[in-house]
Amino acid sequence: MDQQLQLDQQQLVSAWQERLPSFMNEGDSYTVQADEGDQKSLLIHFNASGRQNYTLDFRCTYVDSREVAVNLIDVERAGQHTDERTDAVQQLAQRYTRQIHECAQELKGLTHS
């Protein structure tokens, strides 16, 4: 059985932009864009609410039609690269990773034909 992703990348971006807010904490914002280098990947940029001014960038890659691999690519605090091993960053990264997985699950109907 073919588990390949059968979806246009732009459709995927639109679906993510529509669904992701329902998993987000109030005050957080994000952008979703196509990964130009990989048809199966999306780049998701989160702006964490709060005084720390953290932004986290993730690559969400469809392993197959049901499963995504989520990788933290970059973390900045107030526009400066920051250590991603701190507790605050780890907690944010875990939360956003969970939200990405939850959103991917929600969109399974789109990606799994």
Side-chain angles (χ1 to χ4, degrees):
M1 191 150 79
D2 187 8
Q3 295 297 318
Q4 289 301 304
L5 194 59
Q6 302 292 327
L7 194 64
D8 175 79
Q9 197 177 24
Q10 284 309 316
Q11 280 182 300
L12 206 52
V13 168
S14 298
W16 274 82
Q17 288 170 336
E18 200 175 290
R19 295 301 304 152
L20 193 56
S22 61
F23 299 99
M24 305 263 310
N25 291 23
E26 197 172 327
D28 289 355
S29 62
Y30 69 94
T31 58
V32 179
Q33 61 190 58
D35 182 341
E36 300 296 328
D38 182 358
Q39 281 293 305
K40 292 191 216 114
S41 294
L42 303 174
L43 300 175
I44 305 173
H45 173 85
F46 288 99
N47 297 304
S49 63
R51 290 187 299 279
Q52 283 110 354
N53 285 328
Y54 281 115
T55 61
L56 289 83
D57 293 311
F58 292 88
R59 177 174 286 116
C60 173
T61 304
Y62 276 86
V63 178
D64 60 31
S65 61
R66 299 170 199 245
E67 188 186 344
V68 293
V70 179
N71 295 305
L72 179 62
I73 318 173
D74 187 37
V75 179
E76 291 186 4
R77 182 176 186 179
Q80 301 293 314
H81 288 280
T82 191
D83 185 355
E84 59 193 56
R85 292 171 304 223
T86 64
D87 282 349
V89 171
Q90 285 298 309
Q91 287 175 358
L92 279 172
Q94 287 170 359
R95 183 173 88 205
Y96 290 138
T97 299
R98 188 173 58 249
Q99 290 169 342
I100 291 169
H101 279 289
E102 287 170 355
C103 189
Q105 280 296 308
E106 179 90 8
L107 293 172
K108 214 166 48 185
L110 261 182
T111 58
H112 185 70
S113 47

